[in-house]
């Protein structure tokens, strides 16, 4: 059951990351801070200012989406116009992660915070003999429904076709009349908003730390790469595989080896199957 | 005075990590974000040899460098399969693995508790008790590292490295085995980082696994980009910036944790701004 919960969380991170990678072809490290930003926005709106749970979460997701879009406007779109290399884009996004992460720590403190509001003692359910909390059910549901929804948007809408076209070749997409900057801006909105949702759910489940974004993001990147970078289903598949391998690592050795086993898996994949499970 | 000496020791140590990483990133174009791993291996080797076996400092440096040679060779062979942003991500992966080993190998490293009471170095029977004595040792390391780096980048070997950075495929067509060159510089730079780690452990007297953490590796990477890639003096400028910023913030009288976060905020903003306006860093000669 831990595997499925971890897999669902990594799915939410990998989906947005993968979507952005698909159209921009760079590793957006700033994605990590949008996870954390989501959690803290809800902390501010819901726990501190007393906004209701659902409006708080909805506002949190939207605000993170807007933040992602602003990052694209202010930094990445300019770099794209300058035809900066993917390494420059990566370093620029690393700067955004550091600056925002430090800002969050300055506002909320570097300590551990937990989102509350689901009642003091979380309601638990039994699924296949395993006890899960209400929020963990929400995480699993979110993992599946967001994947399905995103697949629907990509495959059935005009916007989705434009995203695919840009993913194949941005230059050609622009020539055939697609407003690539606008579409990429929306992609940043959607991708970051999904990351924010992931961060909110993590905040309810295990809690928030300002500095946790980097490690979560690295898990998301790992999931994307082993599933197939730039393939939404691949990201989800990779996420569950990663969750499984991590938990095997924890059971076989100890909790301290969780992160190391994740990266061991990444390196093995990159050496022997660099395009991932579903990559082409 | 002692305060200035302390800052000078820090400068020499950070400069050694910066100069060595610059060989890898700035001159060869390999985006290594695992430099602190080798720094940590050096630091732990010295800390363990000095506290447990009572060995000499130079002996521990030599062994740390030797262990790093083997580790960097292994890591470098895997990394030589990748380039650019994939190189960066895989090297980040290695830095989490080294961190996990130092944290979880309790029997050897005492895990998260770290190692206390690492004695000051003694060199040739002379014990460097005061900071001023230590500064002489670290300056000697600094000067040696600087001249090795200068020798490397001005040699024909260094010219091949710069050519690889600009266009690896073309260099390969001329018949150079680029994998060998990349591996050689990665291992050399990493060994220098191990020596810097040894100095640090003996100077501060306490280390824990965070010396080789992911953040530390990213930090070293950021510092050399700020200073300038592919220029011998760039990392020195980066080290000055790294040291002056916290000292400047200290005058504002903020709590330590707040000023640390303000520093990170400034590094982040400067880094993004540099990528927008001047991606080669302040005095850099290589634009990634």
């Amino acid at each position: 059951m831990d595997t499925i919960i971890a897999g669902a969380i990594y799915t939410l991170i990998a989906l947005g990351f993968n979507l952005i990678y698909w159209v921009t072809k760079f590793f957006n490290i700033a994605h990590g801070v949008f996870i954390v930003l989501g959690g803290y926005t809800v902390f501010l709106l819901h726990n501190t200012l007393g906004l209701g749970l659902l409006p708080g979460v909805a506002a949190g997701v939207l605000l993170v989406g807007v933040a992602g879009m602003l990052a694209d406007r202010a930094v990445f779109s300019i770099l794209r116009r300058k035809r900066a290399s993917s390494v420059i884009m990566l370093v620029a996004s690393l700067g955004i992660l550091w600056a925002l992460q430090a800002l969050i720590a300055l506002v909320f403190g570097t300590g551990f915070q937990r989102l509350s509001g689901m009642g003091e003692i979380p309601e638990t359910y039994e699924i296949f003999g395993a006890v899960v909390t209400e929020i963990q059910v929400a995480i699993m549901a979110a993992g599946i429904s967001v994947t399905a929804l995103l697949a629907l948007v990509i495959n059935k809408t005009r916007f989705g076709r434009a995203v695919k076209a840009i993913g194949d070749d941005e230059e050609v997409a622009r020539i055939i009349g697609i407003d690539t900057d606008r579409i990429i801006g929306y992609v940043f909105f959607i991708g970051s908003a999904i990351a924010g949702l992931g961060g909110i759910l993590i905040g309810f489940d295990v809690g928030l730390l300002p500095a946790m974004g980097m490690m979560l993001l690295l898990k998301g990147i790992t999931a994307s790469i082993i599933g197939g970078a730039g393939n939404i289903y691949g990201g989800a598949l990779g996420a569950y595989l990663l969750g499984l391998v991590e938990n095997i690592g924890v059971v076989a050795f100890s909790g301290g080896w969780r992160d190391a086993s994740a990266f061991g898996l990444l390196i093995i994949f990159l050496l022997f199957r660099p395009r991932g499970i579903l990559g082409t | 005075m002692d305060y200035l000496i302390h800052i000078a020791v820090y400068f020499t140590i950070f400069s050694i990590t910066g100069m060595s990483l610059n060989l890898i990133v700035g001159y060869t174009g390999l985006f290594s974000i695992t430099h602190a791993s080798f720094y940590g291996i050096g630091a732990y080797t010295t800390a363990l040899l000095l506290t447990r076996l009572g060995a000499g400092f130079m002996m521990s440096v030599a062994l740390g460098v030797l262990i790093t040679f083997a580790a960097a060779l292994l890591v470098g062979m895997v990394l030589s399969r990748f380039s650019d942003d994939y190189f960066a991500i895989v090297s980040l992966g290695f830095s989490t693995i080294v961190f996990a080993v130092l944290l979880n190998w309790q029997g050897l490293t005492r895990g998260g508790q770290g190692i206390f009471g690492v004695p000051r170095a003694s060199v040739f029977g002379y014990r460097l008790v005061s900071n001023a004595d230590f500064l002489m040792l670290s300056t000697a390391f600094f000067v040696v590292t600087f001249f090795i780096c200068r020798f490397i980048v001005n040699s024909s070997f260094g010219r091949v490295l710069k050519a690889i950075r600009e266009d690896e495929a073309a260099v390969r067509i001329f018949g150079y085995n680029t994998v060998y060159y990349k591996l050689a510089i990665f291992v050399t730079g990493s060994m220098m980082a191990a020596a810097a780690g040894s100095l640090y452990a003996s100077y501060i007297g306490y280390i824990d696994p965070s010396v080789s953490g992911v953040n530390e590796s990213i930090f070293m990477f950021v510092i050399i980009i700020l200073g300038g890639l592919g220029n011998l003096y760039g990392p020195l400028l980066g080290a000055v910036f790294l040291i002056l910023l916290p000292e400047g913030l200290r005058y504002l009288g903020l709590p330590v944790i707040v000023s640390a976060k303000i520093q990170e905020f400034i590094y982040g903003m400067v880094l993004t701004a540099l990528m927008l306006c001047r991606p080669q860093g302040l005095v850099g000669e290589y634009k990634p």
Side-chain angles (χ1 to χ4, degrees):
Chain A
M1 199 48 72
D2 283 347
T3 297
I4 300 176
I5 294 161
I9 288 284
Y10 297 153
T11 301
L12 291 176
I13 300 167
L15 277 178
F17 175 81
N18 227 340
L19 192 65
I20 292 171
Y21 181 81
W22 195 14
V23 292
T24 57
K25 304 286 184 282
F26 83 99
F27 290 118
N28 179 20
I29 304 289
H31 203 66
V33 84
F34 293 132
I35 305 169
V36 186
L37 190 63
Y40 278 98
T41 309
V42 173
F43 181 79
L44 179 70
L45 293 176
H46 176 62
N47 289 28
T48 311
L49 300 179
L51 196 68
L53 182 68
L54 282 180
V57 171
V61 170
L62 285 178
L63 282 173
V64 176
V66 170
M69 211 157 121
L70 281 178
D72 177 54
R73 266 298 113 77
V75 179
F76 303 125
S77 67
I78 297 172
L79 288 174
R80 267 201 306 281
R81 215 159 300 140
K82 288 183 161 185
R83 302 181 176 278
S85 72
S86 59
V87 173
I88 290 181
M89 307 272 270
L90 184 149
V91 176
S93 69
L94 179 67
I96 296 177
L97 173 110
W98 263 29
L100 284 183
Q101 186 171 291
L103 207 59
I104 291 172
L106 282 171
V107 175
F108 296 95
T110 51
F112 182 79
Q113 303 277 14
R114 211 188 144 96
L115 296 176
S116 57
M118 309 285 256
E120 280 306 303
I121 304 156
E123 257 186 74
T124 55
Y125 303 92
E126 254 194 61
I127 301 174
F128 304 123
V131 179
V132 291
T133 61
E134 204 176 8
I135 182 67
Q136 289 171 333
V137 174
I139 289 174
M140 291 186 268
I144 295 166
S145 55
V146 172
T147 311
L149 200 66
L150 192 62
L152 204 68
V153 168
I154 295 296
N155 289 321
K156 298 286 175 215
T157 64
R158 238 182 112 79
F159 167 74
R161 281 198 296 277
V163 169
K164 276 183 185 168
I166 298 173
D168 284 344
D169 193 325
E170 194 196 332
E171 206 72 21
V172 174
R174 196 178 312 120
I175 291 166
I176 61 169
I178 295 172
D179 185 351
T180 54
D181 269 338
R182 199 169 53 94
I183 299 288
I184 293 176
Y186 292 152
V187 165
F188 268 90
F189 177 84
I190 296 172
S192 306
I194 298 173
L197 176 65
I200 293 165
L201 292 169
I202 293 168
F204 280 114
D205 188 27
V206 292
L208 298 166
L209 272 175
M212 71 183 187
M214 189 71 198
M215 195 42 78
L216 284 169
L217 172 76
L218 287 174
K219 300 297 177 59
I221 296 181
T222 302
S224 304
I225 291 177
I226 63 181
N231 180 317
I232 0 172
Y233 310 108
L237 194 64
Y240 288 101
L241 179 63
L242 178 64
L244 179 68
V245 169
E246 271 191 6
N247 281 299
I248 291 173
V250 170
V251 173
F253 307 108
S254 72
W257 293 99
R258 177 182 290 271
D259 298 338
S261 46
F263 289 107
L265 182 71
L266 171 69
I267 292 166
I268 290 169
F269 253 90
L270 278 173
L271 283 178
F272 298 108
R273 194 166 164 78
R275 300 212 170 267
I277 306 170
L278 296 182
T280 44
Chain B
M1 191 59 201
D2 207 46
Y3 171 71
L4 283 180
I5 291 171
H6 174 72
I7 288 188
V9 171
Y10 260 56
F11 172 77
T12 54
I13 295 176
F14 291 144
S15 296
I16 296 172
T17 61
M19 287 188 290
S20 54
L21 186 58
N22 193 29
L23 289 178
I24 302 170
V25 181
Y27 284 99
T28 322
L30 303 173
F31 293 89
S32 167
I33 317 186
T34 185
H35 212 52
S37 309
F38 305 115
Y39 180 78
I41 289 175
Y44 265 90
T45 309
T46 290
L48 288 171
L49 280 186
L50 263 54
T51 54
R52 301 241 176 118
L53 300 177
F57 178 72
M58 285 311 200
M59 171 79 187
S60 77
V61 173
L63 191 67
V65 168
L66 203 67
I67 295 173
T68 298
F69 172 78
L73 194 64
L74 200 71
V75 172
M77 284 200 292
V78 177
L79 283 173
S80 66
R81 305 275 299 264
F82 308 104
S83 61
D84 298 336
D85 41 6
Y86 273 85
F87 192 104
I89 295 296
V90 176
S91 66
L92 256 177
F94 273 115
S95 83
T96 61
I97 291 174
V98 171
F99 176 73
V101 170
L102 291 178
L103 188 65
N104 294 311
W105 195 347
Q106 300 270 354
L108 186 69
T109 65
R110 293 164 48 88
Q113 287 177 296
I115 298 173
F116 291 94
V118 183
R120 276 291 168 85
S122 19
V123 184
F124 306 124
Y126 182 66
R127 215 171 132 75
L128 307 169
V129 183
S130 77
N131 287 359
D133 290 344
F134 199 90
L135 179 61
M136 284 196 273
L137 175 71
S138 65
T139 306
F141 271 82
F142 167 76
V143 171
V144 170
T145 310
F146 180 81
F147 282 104
I148 294 176
C149 290
R150 203 175 76 162
F151 175 74
I152 290 176
V153 302
N154 290 333
S155 66
S156 60
F157 181 80
R159 281 194 293 277
V160 177
L161 295 181
K162 280 182 251 182
I164 290 174
R165 174 185 84 185
E166 300 303 335
D167 192 342
E168 190 182 343
V171 179
R172 217 181 289 133
I173 289 169
F174 282 114
Y176 289 97
N177 184 351
T178 55
V179 171
Y180 161 74
Y181 281 86
K182 291 194 289 182
L183 197 56
I185 199 64
F186 183 77
V187 172
T188 310
S190 303
M191 283 157 67
M192 292 174 180
S198 294
L199 283 173
Y200 177 81
S202 167
Y203 180 66
I204 299 295
Y206 165 76
I207 55 164
D208 66 19
S210 70
V211 295
S212 75
V214 173
N215 276 330
E216 209 62 32
S217 280
I218 296 177
F219 202 63
M220 291 179 185
F221 185 75
V222 169
I223 285 307
I224 64 159
I225 293 184
L226 289 187
L229 293 173
N231 178 311
L232 275 176
Y233 300 96
L236 309 187
L237 196 64
V240 169
F241 187 74
L242 168 79
I243 290 165
L244 289 187
L245 185 59
E247 299 306 325
L249 285 173
R250 204 205 292 267
Y251 287 108
L252 297 176
L254 297 164
V256 177
I257 186 76
V258 173
S259 95
K261 290 298 152 190
I262 292 178
Q263 265 177 66
E264 282 181 24
F265 178 75
I266 294 175
Y267 288 135
M269 297 297 277
V270 171
L271 195 61
T272 305
L274 272 179
M275 288 305 111
L276 283 169
C277 316
R278 201 176 157 76
Q280 65 270 49
L282 293 175
V283 295
E285 287 160 16
Y286 165 48
K287 203 169 152 184

